[in-house]
C-alpha cells in the first residue's frame, strides 16, 4: 500500500480546485456537514480505484461515476474532472504519481511506469475498503448473517474460495451422475448377458457349462477358464452359415422379447414410481412458486434487499410498503439456500433413477427394432424407432433439468407422461416381431450353437467394456469427491482460523476502547451461507451486537471489526485508510481511547480522518494522532469548499497579539485551557469538586488538575525509591521541581487567593503582560506532554478505576510506576 | 463498499491454496502429477471449468506424451 503525500482535486464532485498536503502523515479534515469533506474522500477513492462507492454502491442504481463524479457545472466535460495523488510506496521506498480523469475512470496514469508500483496500485484497486464511511460501518454489525458473510468474505477477498468450492462440487456432482449412468449401462449389459444365457445370476461355472454345451455340438474343445480375452466362438465356423437370415439367434431373440414383454406388462417399477411421484410433487411445488427457483439463485440479492428495508417503502422502486409487511413478503418468497440445495439434490437423485429405467426401456425397444429388421418378412420398425426416440427425448429433458434447474417444464412433462406404456402401434410391431421370430424355422443344432456363441461373445465383450467404463467413471468420481472433500476441509479450517483470529483481534481492540468491558469476547462463526457475529453483553452471554448494545457501542464494534479485518487481510500492507466521519459515531467517553488505539495498534498506517466535530479534531491532535489538518468552513457551488488552515493554538495567539488584539488572544487561550483541563483532569483522574450540571470553569478544573500532576509525580518518586530505582527517582524529582516552577509562573495557584491574576482579567492585560501568561502556560503544557516528537501526547493514568498503577503516554516514553506494593 | 474483481489472487486465497495443495500431495489417493496440474489450474485468477479440472485430474496435458 501507499502513504499519500499530496492530493490535487479538480472539478470533482463539489470541489473546483483543491490541493492538500498530507506529507505522508495522518491528516484530519474538519468541517460542518455539506462543506465538501466527503468530496475529498470520494476523490481519494476515485483516484486509487476508478470507482466511487457512494455512486455505485448498494441502492445507487441511478447514479454513476461518469455522469455524477464531475462538478455539476462540468457534467458534459468529464475530462476536466481529475484527481492527482502523489504518494510514497513504503515497501519499495519509491514515490509515485497517480492521475485519473473521470473521462477514463478505468485508466490511471501512473508515474513512473514501474511494474512493481503498478502491482501495488492494482492491489489498492482490489481493496477499496481502505475507505470506510460512517454509513458502511454499520453493515459489519447490524447486517443479516448471510449478508455479513458476503461482505466479510468480500473484504477478506474470500469470494474466490467460494467460487472454487462451487466449481469443485459441481465437478464432483457431474462425475457422480456420469458414474451412476455408467453403472446403469453396466447393469443392463449384465442383464442382457443373463437373458442370453438364460441364467438368473452370472456364475462362472454356469457360463462355462452353457458355453461348452454349445461348443460340444460343434465338436469344439471345452473352455476351462473365463478371462476378459476369452473367445467363446474360437474354432467355430462363420455365424449362421446355414441360416436363411443370418444374425438372429432365435432362442436369444425370444428371450430378449420375453424380458421386454415382462417389463412392459409389469408397468412402472415400484421404486421408480416412488421417485417419480416425489420428484413430480417437488417440481410442481417449484413451478407453482414460479419465482422461487430464480429467487433462490439470487439468494444474496434478496438477502441484501431484506437488509435494506429500513422504512415503509421498497428499497428498489420506492413503492410504498409497510416495512414489516415487506420483510414478511420477501421472507415468504425466499427459499433458503439450504432448503433449495436439499430439494434439488433429492430431485437429481430421483431423475437419475428414472433416467436409468427409461434408458433400459429404450435399449429393449431398439433391440426389438433390430430383430424386426432382420426377419424374412420384414416388420416395420418405424413405430418402435419413434417410441425409442420419445424415450431419448424424455432422457434429454431430465438431463437438461439436472444441468439447469430452471428447465422445470420439460421435466414435469416427462414425469407426467407414462413412458413405460408402449404406444399401441409400437406394441403391434412388437407382437408382429415376436410372431415373426417364432415363425422362423428352428435352426439346425449346429447353427443354433454358432448363433448362440456369437451373441454370447458380443454380450460378454459388451459387459467387459461397460464394466471397464463403470470402473473408470467410479474411480473418477472417487477422485473428484476426494478433491472436493479435501478442499472443503482445508478451506473451512483456514476460514475458521481466520475468523477466530479476527474475532480475537476485534475483542482486543474493543476492550482497548472500552476498558470497562474487560471480559468482553466476540465470536465469528461461519455456518453454511452465513457468518454469525455475537458479542458478550456484560457477562450475561453472547448476542448479536444489535440486541442489547447502544448504537454508539455498535459503531465502536463496527470500527473495531473493520480494523481487525483490515489488519488480518493486509497485515503490514495496511499503510493507508480513510475514515469518513466514522469517529463521530463513537461514544464521547471513548474517543481518546479510539485515538490511542489507532496510534498504538496501527503506527504504520496513515489515517485520513474526517469529522464535523471540532472537539473531535482537537482530541485527535491532543492525543498526537494527527498533526496536520484542514478546516472546511463553508461551501458554495461556484467556489467549492472554503478552507482555513487549522492553526496551532500558540500561533493563533501570537497572531492575535501581533495585531494588538489581547482580548482575542485571551479568549483563545482560555478556550484552549478549558478544553485541555478537561482532557488532563480525565487523564490524571484529578479530584475535582463535583457539579451536578457538569458545568466546570477553568478555575474549577485547572488547579486541582495541576495539583494532581504534582501529586502523581510525588507518588512516582516514592515508588522509584521503594523499588530502588535511583535514576528514575532522580529524574522524577527533577520533573517535579520543574513542574513547581512552571505552575508558579502560570500563577494558577494564586487564582483562588488573588483575583487580580485570575484568568477573567487577562483581557485587560497589556500585550507584554499577556504574552508572559501565554508563554508560561505553553511551557507548562509542553512540560507535561511526552517529549518524543512522534508522540507528544498527554500522559494518563492506568487503570482508569481503582488504585493508580502507572502514569504513561501512548508511545510508552512516559512510563512512571506508581505502585509501591 | 464497492466490489472490484481483483486481477490477482488475495493472500487469504493463496493461503488456502497452499495448504490445500500440500494436503493433495500428501494424499495417497491423489496422483502427484494430477496435484501439480490442479494446483496450476487453481492458482489462476480465472475459475476453472469442468473440462479443465477433468483434464488436470485424469490425463497429462497435451504434449506431455512422447
Amino acid at each position: 500500500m501507499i502513504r499519500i503525500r499530496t492530493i490535487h482535486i479538480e472539478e470533482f464532485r463539489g470541489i473546483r480546485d483543491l490541493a492538500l498536503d498530507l506529507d505522508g502523515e495522518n491528516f484530519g479534515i474538519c468541517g460542518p456537514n455539506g462543506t465538501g469533506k466527503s468530496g475529498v474522500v470520494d476523490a481519494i477513492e476515485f483516484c486509487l480505484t476508478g470507482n466511487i462507492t457512494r455512486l455505485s454502491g448498494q441502492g445507487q442504481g441511478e447514479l454513476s461515476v461518469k455522469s455524477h463524479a464531475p462538478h455539476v457545472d462540468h457534467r458534459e466535460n468529464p475530462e476536466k474532472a481529475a484527481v492527482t495523488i502523489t504518494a510514497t510506496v513504503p515497501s519499495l521506498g519509491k514515490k509515485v504519481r497517480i492521475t485519473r480523469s473521470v473521462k477514463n475512470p478505468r485508466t490511471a496514469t501512473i508515474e513512473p511506469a514501474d511494474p512493481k508500483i503498478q502491482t501495488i496500485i492494482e492491489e489498492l484497486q482490489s481493496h477499496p475498503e481502505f475507505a470506510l464511511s460512517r454509513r458502511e460501518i454499520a453493515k459489519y454489525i447490524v447486517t443479516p448473517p448471510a449478508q455479513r458473510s458476503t461482505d466479510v468474505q468480500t473484504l477478506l477477498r474470500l469470494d474466490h474460495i467460494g467460487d472454487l468450492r462451487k466449481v469443485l462440487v459441481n465437478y464432483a456432482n457431474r462425475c457422480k451422475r456420469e458414474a451412476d449412468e455408467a453403472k446403469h449401462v453396466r447393469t443392463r449389459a449384465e442383464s442382457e448377458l443373463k437373458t442370453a444365457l438364460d441364467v438368473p445370476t452370472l456364475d462362472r461355472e454356469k457360463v462355462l457349462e452353457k458355453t461348452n454345451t454349445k461348443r460340444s455340438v460343434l465338436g469344439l474343445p471345452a473352455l476351462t477358464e473365463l478371462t476378459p480375452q476369452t473367445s467363446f466362438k474360437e474354432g467355430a465356423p462363420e455365424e449362421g452359415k446355414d441360416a436363411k437370415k443370418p444374425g438372429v439367434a432365435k432362442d436369444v431373440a425370444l428371450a430378449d422379447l420375453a424380458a421386454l414383454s415382462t417389463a412392459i406388462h409389469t408397468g412402472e417399477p415400484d421404486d421408480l414410481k416412488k421417485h417419480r411421484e416425489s420428484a413430480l410433487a417437488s417440481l410442481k411445488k417449484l413451478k407453482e412458486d414460479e419465482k422461487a427457483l430464480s429467487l433462490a439463485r439470487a439468494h444474496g440479492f434478496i438477502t441484501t434487499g431484506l437488509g435494506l428495508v429500513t422504512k415503509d417503502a421498497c428499497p428498489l422502486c420506492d413503492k410504498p410498503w409497510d416495512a414489516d409487511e415487506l420483510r414478511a413478503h420477501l421472507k415468504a418468497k425466499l427459499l433458503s439456500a439450504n432448503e433449495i440445495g436439499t430439494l434439488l439434490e433429492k430431485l437429481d437423485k430421483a431423475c437419475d433413477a428414472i433416467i436409468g429405467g427409461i434408458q433400459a426401456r429404450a435399449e429393449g425397444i431398439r433391440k426389438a427394432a433390430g430383430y424386426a429388421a432382420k426377419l424374412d418378412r420384414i416388420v416395420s420398425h418405424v413405430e418402435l424407432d419413434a417410441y425409442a426416440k420419445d424415450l431419448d427425448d424424455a432422457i434429454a429433458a431430465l438431463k437438461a433439468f439436472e444441468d439447469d434447474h430452471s428447465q422445470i417444464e420439460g421435466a414435469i412433462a416427462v414425469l407426467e407422461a407414462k413412458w413405460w406404456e408402449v404406444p399401441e402401434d409400437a406394441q403391434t410391431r412388437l407382437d408382429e416381431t415376436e410372431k415373426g421370430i417364432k415363425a422362423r424355422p428352428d435352426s439346425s443344432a449346429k447353427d443354433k450353437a454358432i448363433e448362440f456363441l456369437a451373441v454370447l461373445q458380443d454380450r460378454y465383450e459388451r459387459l467387459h467394456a461397460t464394466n471397464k467404463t463403470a470402473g473408470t467413471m467410479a474411480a473418477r468420481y472417487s477422485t473428484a469427491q476426494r478433491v472436493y472433500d479435501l478442499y472443503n476441509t482445508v478451506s473451512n479450517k483456514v476460514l475458521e482460523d481466520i475468523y477466530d483470529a479476527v474475532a480475537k483481534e476485534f475483542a482486543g481492540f474493543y476492550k482497548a476502547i472500552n476498558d470497562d468491558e474487560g471480559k468482553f469476547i466476540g465470536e465469528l462463526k461461519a455456518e453454511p451461507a452465513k457468518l454469525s457475529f455475537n458479542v458478550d453483553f456484560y457477562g450475561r452471554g453472547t448476542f448479536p451486537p444489535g440486541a442489547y448494545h447502544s448504537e454508539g457501542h455498535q459503531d465502536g464494534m463496527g470500527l473495531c471489526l473493520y480494523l481487525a479485518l483490515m489488519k488480518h487481510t493486509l497485515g503490514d500492507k495496511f499503510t493507508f485508510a480513510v475514515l469518513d466521519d466514522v469517529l463521530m459515531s463513537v461514544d464521547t467517553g471513548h474517543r481518546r481511547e479510539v485515538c490511542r488505539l489507532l496510534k498504538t495498534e496501527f503506527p504504520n498506517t496513515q489515517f485520513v480522518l474526517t469529522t464535523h466535530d471540532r472537539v473531535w479534531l482537537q482530541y485527535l491532535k491532543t492525543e498526537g494522532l494527527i498533526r496536520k489538518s484542514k478546516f472546511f468552513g463553508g461551501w458554495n457551488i461556484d467556489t467549492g469548499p472554503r478552507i482555513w488552515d487549522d492553526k496551532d493554538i500558540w500561533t493563533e495567539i501570537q497572531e492575535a497579539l501581533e495585531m494588538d488584539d489581547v482580548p482575542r488572544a485571551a479568549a483563545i487561550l482560555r478556550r484552549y485551557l478549558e478544553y485541555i483541563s478537561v482532557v488532563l483532569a480525565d487523564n490524571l483522574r484529578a479530584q475535582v469538586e463535583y457539579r451536578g450540571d457538569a458545568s466546570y470553569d477553568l478555575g474549577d478544573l485547572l488547579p486541582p488538575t495541576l495539583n494532581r500532576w504534582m501529586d502523581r509525580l510525588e507518588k512516582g518518586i516514592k515508588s522509584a525509591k521503594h523499588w530502588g530505582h535511583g535514576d528514575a527517582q532522580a529524574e522524577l524529582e527533577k520533573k517535579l521541581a520543574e513542574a513547581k516552577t512552571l505552575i508558579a509562573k502560570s500563577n494558577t495557584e494564586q487564582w483562588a487567593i488573588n483575583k487580580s491574576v485570575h484568568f477573567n482579567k487577562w483581557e485587560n492585560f497589556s500585550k507584554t503582560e499577556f504574552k508572559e501568561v501565554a508563554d508560561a502556560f505553553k511551557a507548562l503544557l509542553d512540560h507535561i506532554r511526552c517529549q518524543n516528537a512522534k508522540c507528544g501526547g498527554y500522559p494518563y493514568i492506568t487503570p482508569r478505576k481503582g488504585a493508580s498503577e502507572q502514569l504513561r503516554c501512548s508511545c510508552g516514553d512516559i512510563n512512571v510506576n506508581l505502585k509501591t506494593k | 463498499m464497492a466490489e472490484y474483481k481483483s486481477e490477482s489472487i488475495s493472500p487469504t486465497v493463496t493461503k488456502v491454496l497452499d495448504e490445500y495443495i500440500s494436503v493433495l500431495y500428501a494424499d495417497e489417493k491423489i496422483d502427484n502429477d494430477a496435484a501439480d496440474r490442479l494446483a496450476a489450474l487453481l492458482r489462476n485468477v480465472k475459475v476453472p471449468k469442468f473440462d479443465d479440472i477433468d483434464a488436470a485430474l485424469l490425463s497429462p496435458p497435451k504434449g506431455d506424451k512422447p
Side-chain angles (χ1 to χ4, degrees):
Chain A
M1 289 259 266
I2 61 167
R3 292 178 79 91
I4 294 181
R5 293 166 56 229
T6 64
I7 307 168
H8 185 203
I9 306 166
E10 297 166 279
E11 304 297 353
F12 186 87
R13 304 289 287 152
I15 298 169
R16 305 308 299 252
D17 191 330
L18 171 66
L20 295 174
D21 182 5
L22 283 66
D23 201 22
E25 291 188 14
N26 293 342
F27 193 80
I29 299 173
C30 180
N33 289 333
T35 52
K37 301 185 302 293
S38 293
V40 176
V41 174
D42 290 344
I44 295 172
E45 186 189 2
F46 171 74
C47 186
L48 299 179
T49 71
N51 189 37
I52 303 173
T53 304
R54 281 205 294 168
L55 296 183
S56 62
Q58 292 172 351
Q60 311 297 339
E62 293 179 340
L63 306 179
S64 72
V65 171
K66 208 145 190 179
S67 303
H68 303 103
H71 186 273
V72 67
D73 291 345
H74 281 291
R75 278 170 300 165
E76 306 306 322
N77 307 305
E79 72 281 357
K80 289 191 185 294
V83 183
T84 301
I85 285 179
T86 62
T88 52
V89 183
S91 59
L92 301 176
K94 291 183 177 177
K95 290 179 181 175
V96 59
R97 178 187 172 90
I98 309 155
T99 305
R100 200 184 291 264
S101 153
V102 176
K103 190 176 181 186
N104 296 305
R106 304 293 293 174
T107 311
T109 305
I110 299 169
E111 299 167 279
D114 179 332
K116 285 183 180 172
I117 292 178
Q118 185 82 32
T119 305
I120 299 274
I121 304 304
E122 280 173 8
E123 201 171 9
L124 270 168
Q125 288 179 339
S126 72
H127 283 285
E129 303 86 0
F130 60 75
L132 179 74
S133 72
R134 190 179 176 190
R135 188 176 56 169
E136 285 168 335
I137 200 168
K139 75 194 274 181
Y140 293 103
I141 301 300
V142 286
T143 192
Q147 186 55 41
R148 180 185 296 114
S149 176
T150 306
D151 290 342
V152 169
Q153 292 209 0
T154 301
L155 193 145
L156 288 171
R157 288 290 165 272
L158 301 179
D159 39 354
H160 195 69
I161 293 177
D163 291 344
L164 291 180
R165 178 181 288 118
K166 207 181 287 176
V167 80
L168 289 175
V169 74
N170 285 343
Y171 177 71
N173 286 342
R174 194 163 140 191
C175 285
K176 181 179 186 309
R177 275 215 313 274
E178 292 180 3
D180 286 346
E181 196 174 317
K183 201 172 150 192
H184 287 315
V185 172
R186 185 211 166 279
T187 305
R188 288 197 294 276
E190 186 181 323
S191 175
E192 285 183 356
L193 182 58
K194 287 191 288 193
T195 303
L197 288 164
D198 191 23
V199 293
T201 54
L202 278 185
D203 174 78
R204 176 182 295 266
E205 297 305 319
K206 208 74 182 165
V207 172
L208 286 173
E209 184 194 323
K210 293 256 178 184
T211 305
N212 288 332
T213 304
K214 298 294 182 188
R215 284 180 66 87
S216 72
V217 173
L218 299 173
L220 299 172
L223 300 177
T224 55
E225 60 175 7
L226 214 50
T227 68
Q229 290 75 37
T230 296
S231 170
F232 297 100
K233 56 183 186 181
E234 188 182 15
E238 283 304 302
E239 184 190 342
K241 183 171 73 175
D242 299 330
K244 289 177 184 171
K245 186 83 175 175
V248 178
K250 185 176 174 182
D251 293 346
V252 175
L254 287 174
D256 284 342
L257 290 173
L260 177 60
S261 178
T262 304
I264 290 169
H265 283 101
T266 303
E268 186 181 23
D270 286 345
D271 58 331
L272 296 190
K273 186 177 180 185
K274 281 181 193 163
H275 280 308
R276 185 180 60 82
E277 286 175 347
S278 109
L280 194 55
S282 301
L283 284 173
K284 281 185 173 173
K285 185 181 161 193
L286 277 179
K287 190 192 169 191
E288 281 162 15
D289 191 355
E290 196 181 330
K291 289 180 182 169
L293 201 57
S294 55
L295 289 178
R297 290 162 127 192
H299 186 76
F301 173 73
I302 297 300
T303 312
T304 305
L306 266 172
L308 292 173
V309 179
T310 52
K311 53 185 181 181
D312 290 344
C314 168
L316 285 180
C317 66
D318 294 330
K319 183 183 167 188
W321 273 86
D322 174 77
D324 290 338
E325 203 180 313
L326 180 55
R327 282 191 198 98
H329 176 74
L330 287 173
K331 281 177 184 169
K333 281 177 171 284
L334 185 65
L335 292 179
S336 79
N338 282 346
E339 283 171 331
I340 275 289
T342 309
L343 181 70
L344 294 180
E345 208 172 297
K346 270 178 70 181
L347 274 169
D348 286 350
K349 203 174 165 187
C351 286
D352 280 343
I354 295 164
I355 285 171
I358 301 176
Q359 278 174 335
R361 171 62 56 87
E363 282 180 21
I365 293 295
R366 286 216 166 80
K367 200 175 287 297
Y371 291 139
K374 288 179 180 174
L375 288 171
D376 295 336
R377 282 183 58 196
I378 294 176
V379 171
S380 166
H381 52 85
V382 174
E383 295 80 2
L384 295 175
D385 290 343
Y387 177 39
K389 169 79 171 42
D390 288 346
L391 294 171
D392 287 345
D393 290 346
I395 292 167
L398 293 179
K399 283 188 174 175
F401 171 72
E402 287 183 332
D403 289 338
D404 175 1
H405 289 113
S406 65
Q407 309 283 319
I408 298 179
E409 294 289 348
I412 289 180
V414 170
L415 299 181
E416 283 182 334
K418 297 177 177 175
W419 60 267
W420 59 91
E421 287 185 355
V422 182
E424 204 173 317
D425 53 357
Q427 184 60 54
T428 304
R429 299 305 179 198
L430 281 178
D431 295 341
E432 289 171 3
T433 304
E434 189 178 9
K435 201 173 164 187
I437 298 279
K438 280 180 178 168
R440 279 170 66 97
D442 284 337
S443 307
S444 66
K446 280 191 175 179
D447 279 348
K448 270 190 178 179
I450 292 168
E451 287 162 0
F452 174 83
L453 290 176
V455 171
L456 184 61
Q457 189 71 48
D458 180 52
R459 295 193 180 183
Y460 183 74
E461 284 174 4
R462 182 156 177 258
L463 176 59
H464 269 293
T466 56
N467 202 28
K468 192 176 171 191
T469 305
T472 305
M473 297 306 251
R476 175 179 177 245
Y477 165 57
S478 170
T479 303
Q481 188 63 41
R482 183 88 186 143
V483 160
Y484 168 66
D485 288 344
L486 290 175
Y487 181 82
N488 226 9
T489 306
V490 169
S491 59
N492 284 346
K493 174 77 174 59
V494 172
L495 290 188
E496 276 170 22
D497 289 350
I498 288 172
Y499 291 144
D500 284 350
V502 169
K504 207 171 167 185
E505 195 95 66
F506 155 78
F509 292 164
Y510 190 69
K511 279 195 274 191
I513 63 172
N514 298 275
D515 59 4
D516 53 330
E517 307 220 23
K519 290 176 183 170
F520 180 83
I521 54 164
E523 297 166 341
L524 271 172
K525 278 188 185 160
E527 296 166 38
K530 64 179 188 177
L531 181 64
S532 298
F533 180 46
N534 291 314
V535 291
D536 174 70
F537 187 70
Y538 294 100
R540 303 296 203 275
T542 58
F543 308 93
Y548 298 112
H549 285 89
S550 70
E551 285 190 13
H553 279 82
Q554 288 174 37
D555 284 345
M557 286 179 205
L559 176 63
C560 290
L561 183 57
Y562 165 80
L563 291 170
L565 287 165
M566 289 300 276
K567 187 174 177 184
H568 190 89
T569 308
L570 296 175
D572 292 343
K573 293 178 182 170
F574 184 33
T575 64
F576 171 66
V578 182
L579 302 182
D580 185 15
D581 223 7
V582 166
L583 302 176
M584 264 317 292
S585 40
V586 175
D587 278 356
T588 315
H590 301 133
R591 287 180 176 182
R592 260 168 292 142
E593 284 76 11
V594 170
C595 292
R596 284 171 197 163
L597 175 76
L598 297 180
K599 197 175 165 190
T600 55
E601 293 290 337
F602 301 93
N604 299 318
T605 305
Q606 179 189 22
F607 288 104
V608 176
L609 307 124
T610 73
T611 176
H612 59 263
D613 183 352
R614 284 202 82 159
V615 176
W616 238 122
L617 186 74
Q618 197 60 56
Y619 273 127
L620 297 172
K621 286 186 170 179
T622 306
E623 288 300 323
L625 184 64
I626 62 167
R627 283 173 211 291
K628 299 185 121 187
S629 61
K630 288 280 183 191
F631 189 77
F632 285 31
W635 177 89
N636 78 49
I637 196 164
D638 295 318
T639 61
R642 279 201 304 275
I643 296 176
W644 297 325
D645 277 341
D646 193 50
K647 290 174 188 165
D648 173 80
I649 186 77
W650 307 111
T651 308
E652 272 190 74
I653 290 170
Q654 182 60 35
E655 284 174 359
L657 290 178
E658 280 168 10
M659 296 173 75
D660 287 329
D661 192 349
V662 175
R664 174 169 158 69
I668 294 170
L669 180 61
R670 177 174 167 171
R671 209 172 56 225
Y672 182 67
L673 289 177
E674 279 170 349
Y675 156 74
I676 208 68
S677 297
V678 171
V679 172
L680 284 172
D682 186 62
N683 276 14
L684 300 173
R685 295 168 54 187
Q687 291 157 349
V688 179
E689 200 170 294
Y690 178 74
R691 288 187 187 278
D693 61 0
S695 173
Y696 299 100
D697 73 13
L698 195 51
D700 298 322
L701 286 176
L702 195 52
T705 300
L706 293 175
N707 284 341
R708 179 68 168 175
W709 171 241
M710 289 189 288
D711 173 68
R712 292 300 87 182
L713 291 175
E714 281 167 4
K715 179 92 176 159
I717 292 166
K718 275 185 191 168
S719 171
K721 191 175 177 184
H722 174 80
W723 298 108
H725 297 154
D727 290 349
Q729 183 187 340
E731 203 175 313
L732 285 169
E733 283 169 348
K734 189 178 160 198
K735 188 87 179 171
L736 179 60
E738 188 180 68
K740 285 178 178 170
T741 306
L742 292 170
I743 290 168
K745 273 191 182 175
S746 74
N747 284 325
T748 312
E749 287 170 318
Q750 295 185 38
W751 288 357
I753 48 174
N754 185 354
K755 294 290 180 188
S756 69
V757 294
H758 195 273
F759 52 88
N760 283 333
K761 304 286 181 187
W762 284 348
E763 62 185 33
N764 300 323
F765 278 19
S766 71
K767 186 174 153 183
T768 311
E769 285 169 342
F770 183 76
K771 189 168 185 330
E772 275 179 29
V773 172
D775 288 347
F777 277 107
K778 182 175 185 305
L780 176 58
L781 292 174
D782 284 345
H783 148 83
I784 296 174
R785 70 188 344 156
C786 174
Q787 303 304 303
N788 181 341
K790 287 186 178 175
C791 176
Y794 286 104
Y796 53 92
I797 286 171
T798 61
R800 285 181 63 80
K801 287 178 185 171
S804 301
E805 293 179 4
Q806 193 185 26
L807 178 69
R808 57 160 299 165
C809 68
S810 44
C811 81
D813 271 15
I814 298 178
N815 185 3
V816 180
N817 186 6
L818 302 177
K819 289 188 288 189
T820 49
K821 288 180 183 173
Chain B
M1 209 174 304
E3 281 197 23
Y4 191 100
K5 280 284 175 191
S6 172
E7 295 303 315
S8 60
I9 288 179
S10 77
T12 315
V13 177
T14 303
K15 188 178 175 189
V16 169
L17 290 179
D18 286 348
E19 291 197 23
Y20 175 54
I21 286 155
S22 69
V23 167
L24 280 183
Y25 282 127
D27 194 282
E28 289 177 359
K29 293 177 183 170
I30 310 290
D31 176 60
N32 276 1
D33 290 340
D36 275 338
R37 292 191 296 270
L38 187 63
L41 198 59
L42 298 183
R43 288 193 193 282
N44 204 308
V45 175
K46 281 188 180 173
V47 176
K49 293 190 175 357
F50 179 92
D51 290 342
D52 302 330
I53 301 174
D54 211 34
L57 288 178
L58 298 180
S59 63
K62 284 175 188 173
D64 277 14
K65 280 183 178 174

